[in-house]
Amino acid sequence: MALAPAITDLERLKGHPAVGRLLEWNPATVTGVKFDRDEMTIYVDRANIREACALLRDDAECAFNFLSDITCVDWYPAEPRFEVIYHLLSIPKKERVRLKVRLDSASPAVESLTSVWPGANYFEREVFDLFGIRFTGHPYLRRLLMPEDWEGHPLRKDYPVEGYR
Amino acid sequence: MSVGVFILVSVIKSVIVLIVLLTAVAYTVWLERKVVGHMQNRWGPTRVGPFGLLQPAADGLKFLFKEDLTPPHVYKPLFLAAPMMALIFALTSISVIPFGNSITIGRMNIPLQITDVNIGLLLILGVTSMGVYGVALAGWSSNNKYSLLGGLRASAQMVSYEIALGLSLVGVLMQSGSFSLRAIVEAQGGRFLHIIPRWNIFHGQFIGFFIYLMAAYAETNRIPFDLPEAETELVAGYHTEYSAMKFAMFFMAEYANMITVACLATLLFFGGWNGPLFGPELLQAVLPVFWFGAKIFCFLFLYIWVRGTLPRFRYDQLMSFGWKFLLPLAIANLVATAIAVAW
Amino acid sequence: MILNMGPQHPSTHGVLRVLLEIDGETVVRIMPDIGFLHTGIEKTCEAKFYQQVVPLTDRIDYLCPMTNNLCYVLAVEKLLGLEIPPKAQWMRVLMNELTRINSHLVWLGTHAMDIGALTVFLYCFREREEVLKMFEMISGQRMMTSYFRVGGLALEPPLGFFERVGEFAGYFAEKIDEYENLLTGNPIWMMRTKGVARLTAEDAIALGASGPTLRGSGVDIDLRRDMPYSGYENFNFKVPVAQEGDVFARYMCRVRELRESNEIVKQALDGMPEGPIKADAPGVVLPDREKMKTQMEALIYHFKIITEGFAVPAGEVYQAVESPRGEMGYYIVSDGTAKPYRVHMRAACLANLQTLPKMCEGGLIADVVAAIGSIDIVLGEIDR
């Protein structure tokens, strides 16, 4: 099974319900798409992520009603440095989609999804803890896994594997 | 009988009873570990002595030699007094329990009982309900939230089940017309139709026995009513902060209470030491004590069996079970017995 | 009164710390506090070759090592575009279901013990011991199996293995009856579990619950059936769903799942295909020992894989499997080198734990214990 090359052409992927719905709502929301290894990735503008998620959750055709996961990738030293990644699952349609928000290192902040899915709470705290991404509007943005007084964010690429001590 | 002889005999009897009771406590623990072990595909203690029979001795030594920790924030006088109270009351209640008929040595007729009080049953009820002080004070003086919750649960539970327990016994008292345990047992001699023994349980007090059994389980904090020390919720309940011999005292008190409760059940519902007598005179003298012991053993086994089988109640369910089910049932049983006796 | 339950507490299943604000025995507010077992596995993975990550995945959820192995290797295989021979796939399903049985047995035992039924715990561990012995037989390890490899399996199953599994699958159903005899109809058990710690379907979805915690609330989703992986589409099994959303519903879901897993094990044994257990990808899969000692080419590949790892084409995948606790997902980003750029585990328990306040507030302390038991948390997975 050879790997098919990734499709990144927005025109070719317009047929995907999630992409179509987002474009219909606000064309500026979608800043890029990628279809690779049978997985759909949509790059979303950082200002619109909360509305985009609420839209995809409530839309009858997409029905991405389940937030599987939130995580982050650090592309240090490239800019924009961070990619916050949201994995959505549609329980009725049995489909997945991945939303990505790119954040630069100057202001790694994005709107919190806790008002859309309360379950985003721990995931966002974890990302805050390990990457230092701030989620505005989060009810309790404290460290989750590391001790309260820990310095630095361990999963950043400029944080040594052995730690600072 | 002169006063001196009386005192001497009483002291000897007390010592014997105490030794027997404490040994029984130790071996009840052994029995429990063994029986529950076999129910759960384990062996239970096997290492110390044959069949682990010396395990209780090893445990006792361990308790004695362990460091006796007193946490810094406890209220010391009560913290020390609580386990003693628990144990003292547990041991006191055994003093009015008769183990058999009297034996005759020389010209002396010695009843097999430390003292035959004519309100023996009341004494036992009174003393066992004092036992709750030990538990409640331990919970309070430990200055630990788990202990406090355990102590609260214990007090509430023991107070509420005390009522059902007391009422379940009134039926028996009505039938026998005496508070003396010896008299109650003697009233249960003989048989119906030459087959069924004339024990109270077969004499209209089956429901009474059922209530007594439930209440007794609750009184002694055993599964399914072991909420005061529910280890998965309250760590160890009221004795969380206790270690070494102080913990052992609570432990002994619990098992001594189990034995007392079993004795009482035997005396009140199962005819005490009544049982078939046969053989030579010596055997006839020993058999009643044997029957008594055998019946107690059955009760203890039941305790252990239940522990191996049932999960535990929740606090509110326990209270509603006590107040809404057992208490009305006990009263109904009481009324029914009263009518039957008056007939 | 604020009651601090844990991290050392008999029924917080490891090192969960729960802060309870209580009014008498009633729980007013509850706040789980986690992180005591955080070992930074995600960071460690970034410094390892792809094949070296497999043993780390065992340690995440130590009750279902094979499920973690499977999820990771599936993700890497998806990145590589590898095709796995049928026998390896069936073996993976078989081992995965045995793992589910193993994990559910631990859950059932500890859950019952939390509610006070001590005997069930030891009965469950009797059968679990048998499963662990099978794990040992096949991988040399009881818990940290690392049996799956990228591209297939580590070893051929040893002689007598299938017979042993078959024997176990034959009598296991009776053992489940035995547990159920002690619990399912027991009035005390029902009082303690029915109507306790309710979770509605809407709340469960919104809070990201998955697995039996979600299915116990009436949401019918099972990734094995709905988004099949590793050949699950070839198996015939039911997905137990209960509507009530209480502790009892979750209990029933899991107990029925035990039976279904046993059925899948039987099917896997019956239809086990013949053939190789490793994919035909010499640069990725280690050659057989025999070939490595006799063939020059195999030796070179062996040397290269061990010393340099294998490069994985750049890209990213999210692979989710149905672990005993819910949706276990691995998100792997590759930058084209032999070490993963980023490995993230979506821990089912982490999301499930968020449902705890919804379940317990307004209940009693004893219900908290029952609820913690019913969501079946493994702190290794939560903290990673």
Side-chain angles (χ1 to χ4, degrees):
Chain A
M1 183 173 75
L3 286 173
I7 307 168
T8 51
D9 184 10
L10 184 56
E11 288 304 313
R12 280 178 64 192
L13 294 172
K14 263 186 177 167
H16 189 276
V19 180
R21 188 74 189 84
L22 287 177
L23 283 176
E24 189 186 317
W25 171 61
N26 182 356
T29 307
V30 183
T31 58
V33 284
K34 189 171 82 171
F35 186 77
D36 184 20
R37 295 171 169 96
D38 290 330
E39 292 183 12
M40 188 71 204
T41 308
I42 307 175
Y43 292 86
V44 178
D45 186 52
R46 72 190 271 182
N48 295 331
I49 181 68
R50 194 179 61 79
E51 283 99 334
C53 284
L55 195 75
L56 292 183
R57 179 193 64 178
D58 298 330
D59 186 66
E61 205 179 323
C62 307
F64 286 105
N65 57 351
F66 186 83
L67 175 71
S68 272
D69 193 20
I70 300 178
T71 186
C72 180
V73 177
D74 179 11
W75 290 105
Y76 180 80
E79 284 292 341
R81 182 174 167 182
F82 298 106
E83 271 178 354
V84 180
I85 292 140
Y86 302 86
H87 286 109
L88 309 188
L89 168 69
S90 163
I91 291 180
K93 300 265 154 92
K94 328 284 185 205
E95 248 183 77
R96 289 183 189 281
V97 72
R98 179 187 299 130
L99 304 185
K100 276 192 179 184
V101 176
R102 289 191 167 123
L103 302 173
D104 48 21
S105 56
S107 65
V110 68
E111 218 174 333
S112 165
L113 286 193
T114 42
S115 55
V116 186
W117 286 287
N121 189 329
Y122 276 15
F123 295 131
E124 288 180 351
R125 278 178 70 186
E126 186 189 319
V127 171
F128 165 74
D129 188 357
L130 302 177
F131 285 94
I133 309 286
R134 311 188 69 79
F135 290 90
T136 50
H138 189 284
Y140 190 77
L141 198 62
R142 304 271 288 273
R143 281 190 184 275
L144 183 73
L145 300 176
M146 304 302 286
E148 293 267 300
D149 57 350
W150 195 262
E151 279 173 29
H153 301 285
L155 276 184
R156 287 188 174 190
K157 285 284 175 182
D158 51 357
Y159 189 98
V161 177
E162 301 83 14
Y164 284 123
R165 312 181 186 190
Chain B
M1 204 190 309
S2 71
V3 176
V5 174
F6 174 75
I7 290 175
L8 184 70
V9 168
S10 296
V11 167
I12 291 172
K13 277 197 292 194
S14 305
V15 169
I16 291 174
V17 167
L18 206 59
I19 289 172
V20 169
L21 179 67
L22 290 181
T23 316
V25 165
Y27 279 92
T28 311
V29 178
W30 175 84
L31 183 75
E32 167 152 17
R33 291 174 65 176
K34 213 64 184 164
V35 171
V36 170
H38 279 271
M39 282 175 184
Q40 303 176 338
N41 338 274
R42 301 182 283 122
W43 285 108
T46 55
R47 296 282 138 175
V48 196
F51 308 107
L53 273 171
L54 294 177
Q55 187 70 39
D59 284 347
L61 275 178
K62 182 195 77 175
F63 278 129
L64 275 174
F65 286 124
K66 273 205 159 181
E67 186 184 358
D68 193 4
L69 280 172
T70 306
H73 302 296
V74 301
Y75 182 61
K76 273 213 183 107
L78 288 180
F79 187 76
L80 293 177
M84 295 181 199
M85 284 168 79
L87 186 59
I88 288 171
F89 291 128
L91 294 182
T92 312
S93 53
I94 209 82
S95 65
V96 290
I97 291 198
F99 302 100
N101 269 322
S102 50
I103 51 169
T104 314
I105 301 174
R107 280 178 296 115
M108 266 194 306
N109 187 22
I110 303 171
L112 287 178
Q113 186 177 16
I114 294 180
T115 173
D116 186 9
V117 189
N118 57 3
I119 51 160
L121 190 56
L122 282 186
L123 190 88
I124 289 183
L125 286 178
V127 169
T128 46
S129 40
M130 291 285 280
V132 75
Y133 279 105
V135 172
L137 290 178
W140 181 79
S141 68
S142 292
N143 197 8
N144 172 319
K145 288 168 184 171
Y146 288 117
S147 301
L148 179 66
L149 284 171
L152 281 177
R153 282 181 177 191
S155 332
Q157 175 178 331
M158 287 168 120
V159 167
S160 13
Y161 277 78
E162 194 81 18
I163 299 171
L165 185 83
L167 285 177
S168 72
L169 299 181
V170 177
V172 175
L173 297 177
M174 282 175 171
Q175 278 183 352
S176 56
S178 168
F179 267 119
S180 160
L181 290 166
R182 188 166 288 277
I184 293 173
V185 172
E186 272 152 15
Q188 296 179 60
R191 288 162 189 233
F192 298 117
L193 308 169
H194 300 289
I195 309 166
I196 308 164
R198 214 184 154 78
W199 298 345
N200 276 331
I201 185 167
F202 302 123
H203 193 193
Q205 286 304 319
F206 179 74
I207 294 172
F209 171 69
F210 168 75
I211 298 164
Y212 174 82
L213 196 66
M214 296 290 118
Y217 274 62
E219 246 342 66
T220 46
N221 300 334
R222 295 283 300 180
I223 271 183
F225 302 101
D226 66 335
L227 292 119
E229 46 197 285
E231 79 261 12
T232 48
E233 293 155 30
L234 300 183
V235 189
Y238 57 87
H239 53 60
T240 304
E241 296 287 2
Y242 284 91
S243 59
M245 213 49 212
K246 291 209 279 286
F247 168 73
M249 283 185 194
F250 278 118
F251 204 65
M252 273 149 53
E254 181 183 327
Y255 281 85
N257 276 330
M258 268 169 71
I259 292 175
T260 313
V261 159
C263 287
L264 214 52
T266 311
L267 292 171
L268 296 177
F269 296 98
F270 284 85
W273 54 84
N274 286 317
L277 295 182
F278 49 81
E281 203 158 304
L282 187 67
L283 190 65
Q284 292 220 0
V286 178
L287 266 179
V289 182
F290 171 76
W291 289 125
F292 189 66
K295 287 171 189 172
I296 289 175
F297 174 82
C298 292
F299 269 99
L300 294 177
F301 189 82
L302 187 66
Y303 261 114
I304 296 165
W305 191 0
V306 167
R307 181 177 166 207
T309 312
L310 290 182
R312 127 175 7 102
F313 275 105
R314 204 172 62 193
Y315 182 62
D316 59 326
Q317 292 163 350
L318 172 102
M319 293 312 257
S320 64
F321 182 73
W323 288 104
K324 292 183 186 160
F325 178 70
L326 275 191
L327 189 63
L329 195 64
I331 293 173
N333 178 51
L334 187 63
V335 172
T337 313
I339 292 170
V341 168
W343 208 265
Chain C
M1 184 165 85
I2 306 281
L3 186 66
N4 176 31
M5 213 168 163
Q8 269 83 40
H9 185 280
S11 62
T12 49
H13 293 233
V15 286
L16 172 68
R17 174 168 173 246
V18 185
L19 277 171
L20 298 171
E21 189 180 331
I22 51 176
D23 175 17
E25 290 248 345
T26 313
V27 177
V28 182
R29 218 157 69 89
I30 173 169
M31 225 174 92
D33 180 14
I34 58 176
F36 293 93
L37 216 57
H38 181 59
T39 48
I41 284 184
E42 292 182 10
K43 185 80 175 172
T44 316
C45 292
E46 294 172 8
K48 302 274 181 198
F49 292 134
Y50 278 96
Q51 74 268 30
Q52 289 175 321
V53 175
V54 175
L56 291 176
T57 60
D58 291 329
R59 272 98 183 145
I60 292 169
D61 185 344
Y62 38 77
L63 291 184
C64 52
M66 300 262 196
T67 315
N68 285 275
N69 289 169
L70 177 68
C71 192
Y72 173 74
V73 298
L74 281 177
V76 178
E77 281 157 9
K78 203 167 168 188
L79 271 173
L80 285 163
L82 270 189
E83 200 151 354
I84 306 305
K87 183 173 182 189
Q89 290 201 5
W90 282 65
M91 274 304 289
R92 283 176 177 185
V93 169
L94 172 69
M95 295 318 289
N96 215 350
E97 292 308 316
L98 283 176
T99 309
R100 192 181 311 277
I101 290 175
N102 166 26
S103 170
H104 276 3
L105 283 177
V106 176
W107 157 79
L108 181 60
T110 49
H111 183 40
M113 193 158 71
D114 285 348
I115 299 189
L118 301 168
T119 307
V120 182
F121 177 73
L122 285 128
Y123 285 3
C124 289
F125 268 57
R126 178 184 59 195
E127 271 70 65
R128 177 179 185 246
E129 193 58 32
E130 184 57 31
V131 177
L132 289 184
K133 278 183 185 148
M134 289 183 229
F135 284 3
E136 190 178 5
M137 198 172 175
I138 202 164
S139 71
Q141 272 275 21
R142 287 159 57 85
M143 282 176 82
M144 305 300 154
T145 49
S146 303
Y147 179 59
F148 303 150
R149 294 294 146 83
V150 176
L153 307 174
L155 297 162
E156 280 280 359
L159 278 179
F161 175 74
F162 293 124
E163 287 75 22
R164 190 160 186 176
V165 177
E167 199 189 325
F168 174 79
Y171 70 72
F172 184 56
E174 289 169 32
K175 301 292 179 184
I176 305 175
D177 293 341
E178 203 171 281
Y179 316 142
E180 283 211 81
N181 271 341
L182 275 168
L183 298 177
T184 307
N186 186 328
I188 302 181
W189 179 262
M190 307 242 265
M191 276 164 83
R192 284 299 305 276
T193 54
K194 278 204 166 165
V196 167
R198 269 180 195 281
L199 187 70
T200 61
E202 291 76 42
D203 284 339
I205 291 176
L207 287 166
S210 53
T213 312
L214 187 59
R215 289 195 287 274
S217 294
V219 183
D220 186 9
I221 180 162
D222 188 317
L223 299 178
R224 290 176 294 171
R225 182 196 62 194
D226 298 330
M227 305 171 96
Y229 50 88
S230 188
Y232 263 110
E233 61 272 16
N234 301 320
F235 292 86
N236 184 14
F237 60 98
K238 289 196 279 292
V239 176
V241 179
Q243 301 299 327
E244 296 83 6
D246 53 10
V247 176
F248 188 75
R250 293 189 276 278
Y251 158 78
M252 279 318 286
C253 273
R254 286 205 180 87
V255 171
R256 285 199 211 117
E257 254 175 43
L258 271 177
R259 293 186 194 278
E260 292 302 324
S261 290
N262 196 37
E263 288 307 309
I264 300 177
V265 167
K266 282 183 192 163
Q267 290 174 30
L269 283 177
D270 289 342
M272 182 66 65
E274 288 299 316
I277 54 159
K278 289 172 182 173
D280 181 23
V284 174
V285 180
L286 280 181
D288 290 339
R289 212 71 197 152
E290 182 61 33
K291 278 188 189 158
M292 194 262 282
K293 286 176 179 167
T294 52
Q295 294 177 7
M296 194 62 213
E297 197 190 346
L299 180 63
I300 293 172
Y301 275 128
H302 187 276
F303 183 75
K304 278 182 77 92
I305 294 172
I306 296 293
T307 53
E308 298 172 358
F310 49 83
V312 171
E316 57 189 336
V317 291
Y318 177 80
Q319 173 68 45
V321 302
E322 186 75 27
S323 95
R325 274 158 272 284
E327 181 184 325
M328 167 100 236
Y330 272 64
Y331 174 62
I332 302 180
V333 182
S334 165
D335 57 352
T337 61
K339 292 177 180 177
Y341 188 76
R342 168 103 174 92
V343 180
H344 172 72
M345 297 93 182
R346 192 265 183 201
C349 302
L350 181 73
N352 288 352
L353 185 65
Q354 296 190 72
T355 60
L356 196 61
K358 208 67 182 186
M359 289 179 184
C360 298
E361 280 170 11
L364 298 169
I365 297 178
D367 294 343
V368 175
V369 172
I372 292 177
S374 77
I375 54 176
D376 187 17
I377 49 168
V378 166
L379 270 294
E381 190 187 11
I382 291 179
D383 294 343
R384 279 157 292 149

